[in-house]
Amino acid sequence: MSENKPGKKQSYQASDRNLALELVRVTEAAALAASRWTGRGNKNEADGAAVEAMRLAFDTVAIDGTVVIGEGEMDEAPMLYIGEKVGAGGPAMDIAVDPLEGTSLTAKNAPNALTVVALAEQGNFLHAPDIYMDKIAIGAGLPPDTVSLDASIETNLRNLARARKTTIEELTLCTLDRDRHEELIARAREAGARVMLITDGDVAGVIAACLPGSGVDIYVGSGGAPEGVLAAAALRCVDGFMQARLMFENDEQVSRARTMDEGDPRRLLTLTDLARGDVLFSATGVTDGALLRGVRRTAERGVTHSIVMRSKSGTVRFIEGQHNFATKTWSPT
Ligand code: VTB
Ligand code: MG
Ligand code: MG
């Protein structure tokens, strides 16, 4: 599943090592800004604050970055729009962002809101339009044909239980609580599985399916395509398994996808179709979740909890940041 060859020594480049750790400042800044709006019932203010802080923080990162997964097209998004150049100058990198994944979660102070950034060398992320994507994901260490987007939910659960040497009754499937998933949910339960329904935030849901001890064994269902690319970037770092397929509602969406990517827009996408090469990923918790703690604030300080990962080395770091609002000059906290 991994592009890394076991036992093969990775080349050491001091510059890109620093980059992984610099990225965390970007998601921290967005999370601190969004956290001013946690539980205040205003998702647009929370989102706007995260976007603005993330945009500012990028100016301090030593890259020549181009946003490929972002806030939308230039005419509809003032910042972090697709095609926007960000960074202080350096290696040419493509950037995927969701400045606040879970705007409603933040407004309600519900679990699993994150700020998310992924970085790869130019051309390595799928240029996904903002439409729905069908997704399936499981964790590392299982045969690659254990589950498939093209198999029935019953077959996938049976194969996953067998590969994990357990029963379907002991498996938990996570999906977004949406009417469009009614049949999937009913059939998964009928087959014996537990179903964990989340109201938003399928990036966190997909990642949870790949982390041992998260309480989620498999993620299935449709959500945003940009969120699919971000989740794939994370899964590359933890050697997870994922398949996806863009879901088109009209011909215009198909034509748009054709302008963004060369392949058949309806093809089955593997993990490396979504995110190739050396990928860096950072996410910071805004509200508490299975993966990360949310921002803790006092009038003077904010404490952030982040995960920073890199596919090339497979290193996963959890970073706690203690931020003093009085001495922070670059972030509108
Ligand atoms: C998911 C989820 C997001 O949108 O992608 C979902 O990860 C999909 O769209 O947090 P619908 O809400 O239309 O189902 C979010 O819930 C919001 O961006
Ligand atoms: Mg967003
Ligand atoms: Mg989102």
Side-chain angles (χ1 to χ4, degrees):
M1 273 186 239
S2 166
E3 288 194 347
N4 296 345
K5 304 258 182 327
K8 185 171 170 255
K9 216 160 168 29
Q10 304 293 331
S11 62
Y12 181 95
Q13 282 175 288
S15 57
D16 56 24
R17 292 220 148 185
N18 287 339
L19 215 45
L21 290 173
E22 274 196 49
L23 259 200
V24 73
R25 294 166 57 244
V26 174
T27 55
E28 283 178 347
L32 283 168
S35 73
R36 285 185 300 153
W37 295 96
T38 300
R40 299 194 192 283
N42 193 334
K43 65 176 194 165
N44 293 333
E45 290 287 357
D47 199 27
V51 172
E52 193 184 337
M54 186 174 274
R55 177 66 188 78
L56 268 175
F58 262 122
D59 280 343
T60 68
V61 181
I63 51 166
D64 175 5
T66 306
V67 176
V68 298
I69 297 285
E71 291 298 283
E73 300 301 316
M74 195 195 304
D75 53 1
E76 67 199 38
M79 278 182 273
L80 297 173
Y81 54 84
I82 295 164
E84 184 175 347
K85 297 282 181 195
V86 296
M93 309 287 281
D94 278 353
I95 295 171
V97 298
D98 197 344
L100 185 54
E101 161 60 350
T103 55
S104 300
L105 298 174
T106 305
K108 294 181 203 161
N109 201 352
N112 282 319
L114 310 170
T115 61
V116 192
V117 165
L119 219 71
E121 277 167 18
Q122 238 170 18
N124 283 349
F125 288 130
L126 181 82
H127 291 203
D130 194 5
I131 60 173
Y132 284 120
M133 175 184 266
D134 221 356
K135 312 171 190 182
I136 189 165
I138 56 171
L142 299 166
D145 54 357
T146 304
V147 299
S148 160
L149 210 50
D150 289 332
S152 69
I153 185 62
E154 292 82 3
T155 303
N156 284 331
L157 289 169
R158 200 182 323 116
N159 289 347
L160 180 59
R162 190 176 304 138
R164 295 268 296 267
K165 299 191 171 51
T166 185
T167 59
I168 296 180
E169 283 69 21
E170 294 308 327
L171 296 178
T172 298
L173 174 146
C174 181
T175 194
L176 283 165
D177 191 3
R178 298 290 187 273
D179 290 346
R180 62 179 186 269
H181 292 153
E182 204 180 319
E183 188 190 333
L184 165 75
I185 294 164
R187 284 172 59 181
R189 286 185 177 143
E190 183 63 26
R194 277 187 251 271
V195 177
M196 179 191 288
L197 295 172
I198 54 174
T199 58
D200 286 290
D202 69 350
V203 174
V206 170
I207 296 173
C210 300
L211 297 178
S214 69
V216 176
D217 301 291
I218 177 168
Y219 187 92
V220 188
S222 58
E227 281 88 350
V229 175
L230 284 162
L235 263 52
R236 286 287 322 289
C237 304
V238 295
D239 217 7
F241 173 90
M242 180 173 177
Q243 288 179 342
R245 185 177 274 123
L246 292 170
M247 297 170 73
F248 298 102
E249 284 162 22
N250 53 51
D251 292 346
E252 196 213 313
Q253 290 180 350
V254 179
S255 326
R256 167 138 177 74
R258 285 214 170 92
T259 65
M260 298 175 83
D261 175 75
E262 283 175 357
D264 173 3
R266 297 179 200 274
R267 74 192 185 280
L268 183 71
L269 299 161
T270 64
L271 190 58
T272 47
D273 289 328
L274 296 162
R276 284 177 295 277
D278 185 18
V279 173
L280 312 178
F281 178 92
S282 176
T284 301
V286 178
T287 59
D288 284 341
L291 181 64
L292 295 166
R293 289 191 302 281
V295 177
R296 300 278 186 276
R297 296 180 67 104
T298 63
E300 295 84 29
R301 303 183 81 83
V303 181
T304 52
H305 191 216
S306 307
I307 186 170
V308 184
M309 315 191 267
R310 185 177 185 200
S311 65
K312 192 172 180 179
S313 59
T315 309
V316 177
R317 289 186 175 88
F318 285 93
I319 298 180
E320 184 181 283
Q322 306 214 358
H323 309 268
N324 183 343
F325 297 147
T327 52
K328 252 189 158 41
T329 50
W330 50 272
S331 166
T333 48

